Amino acid sequence: MKPATIRDVARHADVSVASVSRVLNGVGVVNEPTRQRVLQAVDLLKYVPHSGARSLSTSRTDTVGVILPDLFGEFFSELIRGMDVAARAHGLHLIVSSSHDDADEASAAIRSMRGRVDGLVVLSPYLNAASLTASLAGRTPVLLMNGGAMDAARPSIVIDNRAGAMTAVEHLLGLGRRRIAHISGPSGNLEAEARLAGYAEALAGSGVVAQVLDGDFTQGSGHRAVTRMLASGERPDAIFAANDMMAVGALLALQEAGVRCPEEVAVVGFDDVPIAELVRPALTTLRIDIAGLGKHAVERLVGLIQAPDSEEANNEILRPTLVVRGSSTADASAHSSPAEAKPTAPGEILMGEIQDV
Amino acid sequence: MKPATIRDVARHADVSVASVSRVLNGVGVVNEPTRQRVLQAVDLLKYVPHSGARSLSTSRTDTVGVILPDLFGEFFSELIRGMDVAARAHGLHLIVSSSHDDADEASAAIRSMRGRVDGLVVLSPYLNAASLTASLAGRTPVLLMNGGAMDAARPSIVIDNRAGAMTAVEHLLGLGRRRIAHISGPSGNLEAEARLAGYAEALAGSGVVAQVLDGDFTQGSGHRAVTRMLASGERPDAIFAANDMMAVGALLALQEAGVRCPEEVAVVGFDDVPIAELVRPALTTLRIDIAGLGKHAVERLVGLIQAPDSEEANNEILRPTLVVRGSSTADASAHSSPAEAKPTAPGEILMGEIQDV
DNA sequence: CTGTTAGCGCGTTCAC
DNA sequence: GTGAACGCGCTAACAG
């Protein structure tokens, strides 16, 4: 009852394993009669090549891996979707490994990938480059996306979080808001820290005093942060959350407290996950084409796999784009009104660009 | 520059490969001195076991695969998240293979998994059991989740789509709605067809005439269906969409047209994806604990892997639960008001149960 | 306790 | 054109 192997097929077709291999891989030349006999045996025995064995012998797995901190929220699912698209387009399988909150776990995960994948996309916002490099012995091509302290010696893609955050704050300042609070991401997270830095920097020149509420990138933390702040009597006129999920939590907290958005408090998020334009008011945010990013990452990884040293140390920086929606418009009529419901508001303002370094 | 192999380590530590293997796998007994020499060599050479080779020899991959139709929307990402949780808990890797819209693609995908995984969770709502079984030669444990025509001879989990749909319609009828339209899922999709059947059946007894709008499970299709319907002059007083994404699309279309929900038109979805409770009005839907489902699926699969014939042909049926939110309450004050904004509305009504067959 | 060796399933030189 | 044999890297008997 065990699955047939290539030898079973060879025996059945009365040829050698070499011929079977040739037929199946379409390499070399085989006489038509032999070819037919092999094909016949293959489907009689329902033979399916054992990809593990094949990998061992070819040292190609036709699989790429992705190391992620976690799988919550829409950011990572969108990213995976994009990566999957690219992987499939190149005939590759995708193996995901998540929930690596610290450097050690991530390192272990990376190591456990040896012999399983041809290349890796690593998102580890908590990992510093040094610790990462240590894990990355071997010659496995790796594309880094650990926003922040990037290892200049390795191919990478980073999001310009600081610039994005500054854009967000400047947008709010431009709206005349003067009490701008920030809901931060988890401490130790490089992306979160860069966004916080951008917030602080943008504020620095304006005389507006910074007010930071602790968050951890989850919707619940955004909700709690705002609820607590309101309870303490604080009344900012704008909130910049370090990501969209927290911004959504903030939006809900405001609604529960009866505080109108954007009239009383404007809200800006970061990432532009799909729900950003579905909530009401729709969320102003810094757009990252997440799925596109995932796709692009895999494509670069494929390039690395095919030509390991071609684009070494190519560090790419993506600048997020400001998308203005109802949660931060001066126009009060935009708030929760049916007219504003269309998925793509006509008044969307886009800024920013993608630049290569 | 090539990665060190176990033989390099053995040579370096001046022992045999067997001893290295013993030390690394903690099996058998090894003298402390030898053990130390091995460990030393391992980290000098930065040796990492080649899991591919190990798999070939142990015939275990420590990986489970999941075959999906696509990766759009929140349903699949939630499912993957749940599966990942369970996989990690069991020390397994997860490999995803998506975008298999027809039986052939899915079959190919399943076959290509041989030698890569220890077991498979297959979601293929387009696949009939016969064609599936053909692909599933070998002894690879497979857990089916192709809602609908389940192969009674294989372990499976199905969602009681028909019952769920009936519950939805009955809920709307109970609200006094008499013109209930249905936005269907893609034709040929078993889940979609079962939901449509449930809709029709629930209506049959009530004298209400069925009205079906074509959809394909995407938000856009729900939006278009409703827009077109309104344009044609039709005015239902309720819409039951075959999934939440289409329901969200419907909600937006209604808003754009200035039709009030739930006052004029109530809307009910299916799945209870995370955004269901974030849109306004919050969406009444049939809850499936998606992440829990994914987790449970992997756990059953693990059981199958450990004892292949233990629970054979255990067919499980999950009954979705009605969750009433703002989009279908009689109470008009619930609509878009701040008071209704809290994530978990106090007035939530839950029905249904999970049953084992 | 440790070393030798035979596979795991397949691709791939080489001679024939 | 075709086949025999070796190697991929590792585990698991089996001897010693």
Side-chain angles (χ1 to χ4, degrees):
Chain A
M1 280 313 166
K2 295 186 57 174
T5 76
I6 196 173
R7 314 171 70 121
D8 298 326
V9 176
R11 197 176 315 125
H12 226 83
D14 198 37
V15 297
S16 74
V17 295
S19 296
V20 177
S21 176
R22 286 188 196 102
V23 171
L24 264 43
N25 296 304
V27 70
V29 194
V30 186
N31 261 359
E32 193 52 26
T34 356
R35 182 184 154 69
Q36 287 306 327
R37 290 217 310 284
V38 169
L39 258 28
Q40 212 168 344
V42 162
D43 92 20
L44 174 68
L45 271 49
K46 296 189 186 316
Y47 169 69
V48 177
H50 188 290
S51 23
R54 190 202 299 256
S55 294
L56 191 54
S57 128
T58 59
S59 61
R60 287 183 313 105
T61 60
D62 292 324
T63 302
V64 295
V66 50
I67 308 284
L68 306 167
D70 68 58
L71 243 39
F72 281 96
E74 292 194 291
F75 186 90
F76 294 112
S77 45
E78 275 294 287
L79 191 74
I80 290 179
R81 186 167 68 73
M83 293 186 55
D84 178 74
V85 167
R88 199 153 19 75
H90 290 274
L92 299 171
H93 284 269
L94 188 65
I95 173 168
V96 315
S97 181
S98 70
S99 296
H100 308 295
D101 301 313
D102 59 70
D104 291 334
E105 275 187 62
S107 299
I110 293 175
R111 243 168 300 132
S112 81
M113 289 294 206
R114 160 151 142 89
R116 284 183 199 290
V117 301
D118 295 335
L120 241 32
V121 172
V122 177
L123 275 86
S124 187
Y126 293 90
L127 215 51
N128 58 48
S131 139
L132 239 183
T133 309
S135 317
L136 274 34
R139 272 262 155 277
T140 311
V142 173
L143 182 64
L144 245 42
M145 292 211 280
N146 61 332
M150 65 189 178
D151 183 341
R154 286 186 179 283
S156 69
I157 301 179
V158 302
I159 291 161
D160 196 337
N161 294 298
R162 214 173 51 87
M166 292 184 66
T167 303
V169 174
E170 282 157 10
H171 164 65
L172 291 169
L173 287 171
L175 253 40
R177 309 289 167 148
R178 307 297 297 169
R179 299 189 308 283
I180 305 174
H182 175 59
I183 308 179
S184 66
S187 69
N189 181 305
L190 301 175
E191 314 260 5
E193 287 173 357
R195 291 171 194 184
L196 171 60
Y199 160 79
E201 184 169 343
L203 243 41
S206 69
V208 171
V209 51
Q211 179 185 7
V212 178
L213 312 174
D214 291 332
D216 62 8
F217 276 166
T218 66
Q219 182 186 326
S221 73
H223 186 279
R224 283 190 299 277
V226 171
T227 301
R228 209 171 307 150
M229 176 188 66
L230 293 177
S232 78
E234 295 276 0
R235 276 291 182 291
D237 55 16
I239 296 174
F240 165 49
N243 78 349
D244 285 347
M245 295 313 292
M246 294 195 297
V248 168
L251 238 34
L252 294 177
L254 290 175
Q255 284 179 32
E256 286 170 31
V259 177
R260 288 176 312 156
C261 172
E263 295 82 350
E264 299 177 67
V265 178
V267 174
V268 175
F270 206 114
D271 286 347
D272 195 27
V273 296
I275 61 166
E277 68 176 7
L278 296 178
V279 293
R280 289 295 172 267
L283 189 62
T284 291
T285 188
L286 278 127
R287 171 178 296 167
I288 298 171
D289 175 8
I290 309 175
L293 176 61
K295 180 162 172 288
H296 180 59
V298 166
E299 259 146 18
R300 277 193 59 191
L301 182 59
V302 168
L304 283 173
I305 292 172
Q306 290 170 348
D309 298 300
S310 65
E311 64 153 316
E312 61 179 308
N314 180 355
N315 300 102
E316 199 172 353
I317 298 181
L318 296 185
R319 178 114 179 244
T321 301
L322 179 67
V323 180
V324 178
R325 299 204 183 93
S327 72
S328 75
T329 43
D331 178 7
S333 74
H335 173 47
S336 280
S337 83
E340 186 63 9
K342 31 190 155 350
T344 306
E348 261 189 8
I349 299 173
L350 270 57
M351 289 181 47
E353 52 176 337
I354 291 180
Q355 59 185 67
D356 236 280
V357 175
Chain B
M1 281 313 169
K2 295 187 59 174
T5 76
I6 195 175
R7 314 173 70 124
D8 297 327
V9 176
R11 197 175 315 125
H12 227 85
D14 198 36
V15 297
S16 75
V17 294
S19 295
V20 177
S21 177
R22 287 189 194 99
V23 172
L24 264 42
N25 296 303
V27 70
V29 196
V30 187
N31 260 359
E32 193 52 26
T34 359
R35 183 184 153 69
Q36 287 306 328
R37 290 217 310 285
V38 169
L39 259 27
Q40 210 168 344
V42 162
D43 90 25
L44 174 68
L45 273 49
K46 296 189 186 318
Y47 170 69
V48 177
H50 187 289
S51 24
R54 189 200 302 252
S55 294
L56 189 55
S57 147
T58 58
S59 61
R60 286 183 314 103
T61 61
D62 292 324
T63 302
V64 295
V66 49
I67 307 283
L68 306 167
D70 69 58
L71 242 39
F72 281 96
E74 292 195 291
F75 186 90
F76 294 112
S77 45
E78 275 294 286
L79 192 75
I80 290 179
R81 185 167 68 74
M83 295 187 54
D84 178 74
V85 168
R88 199 153 18 77
H90 290 275
L92 299 172
H93 285 269
L94 188 65
I95 172 167
V96 316
S97 180
S98 69
S99 295
H100 308 295
D101 301 314
D102 59 72
D104 291 336
E105 276 187 62
S107 299
I110 293 175
R111 244 168 299 133
S112 80
M113 290 293 207
R114 162 155 143 86
R116 285 181 198 290
V117 300
D118 295 335
L120 240 31
V121 172
V122 177
L123 275 87
S124 186
Y126 294 91
L127 216 50
N128 59 47
S131 136
L132 237 184
T133 311
S135 317
L136 275 36
R139 273 262 155 277
T140 312
V142 173
L143 181 65
L144 245 42
M145 291 210 282
N146 61 333
M150 65 189 174
D151 183 341
R154 286 186 178 285
S156 69
I157 301 179
V158 301
I159 290 160
D160 197 338
N161 294 299
R162 216 173 49 87
M166 292 184 67
T167 303
V169 174
E170 282 156 11
H171 163 66
L172 291 169
L173 287 171
L175 255 40
R177 310 288 167 149
R178 306 298 297 169
R179 300 189 307 283
I180 305 174
H182 175 59
I183 308 179
S184 66
S187 69
N189 182 304
L190 301 175
E191 314 260 3
E193 286 172 358
R195 291 171 192 183
L196 171 59
Y199 161 77
E201 184 169 343
L203 243 40
S206 69
V208 170
V209 51
Q211 178 185 7
V212 178
L213 312 175
D214 292 331
D216 62 8
F217 277 166
T218 66
Q219 180 185 327
S221 74
H223 186 280
R224 282 190 298 276
V226 170
T227 302
R228 210 171 306 150
M229 177 189 66
L230 293 176
S232 78
E234 296 277 358
R235 275 292 183 290
D237 56 15
I239 295 174
F240 165 49
N243 78 349
D244 285 348
M245 293 315 291
M246 293 194 299
V248 168
L251 237 35
L252 294 178
L254 290 174
Q255 284 180 34
E256 287 171 28
V259 177
R260 289 176 311 155
C261 172
E263 294 84 348
E264 300 178 65
V265 178
V267 174
V268 175
F270 206 115
D271 287 347
D272 196 25
V273 295
I275 63 165
E277 68 176 6
L278 296 178
V279 293
R280 287 297 173 266
L283 189 63
T284 292
T285 188
L286 278 127
R287 170 179 297 168
I288 297 171
D289 174 9
I290 309 174
L293 176 62
K295 181 162 172 287
H296 180 59
V298 166
E299 259 146 18
R300 279 194 58 192
L301 182 59
V302 168
L304 282 173
I305 292 171
Q306 291 170 347
D309 298 300
S310 64
E311 63 153 316
E312 62 178 308
N314 179 355
N315 301 102
E316 201 173 352
I317 298 181
L318 296 184
R319 178 111 178 246
T321 301
L322 180 67
V323 181
V324 178
R325 300 205 183 93
S327 72
S328 75
T329 43
D331 179 7
S333 74
H335 173 48
S336 278
S337 84
E340 186 61 11
K342 32 189 148 357
T344 306
E348 260 190 12
I349 299 173
L350 270 56
M351 291 179 47
E353 52 175 337
I354 291 181
Q355 59 184 64
D356 237 279
V357 174

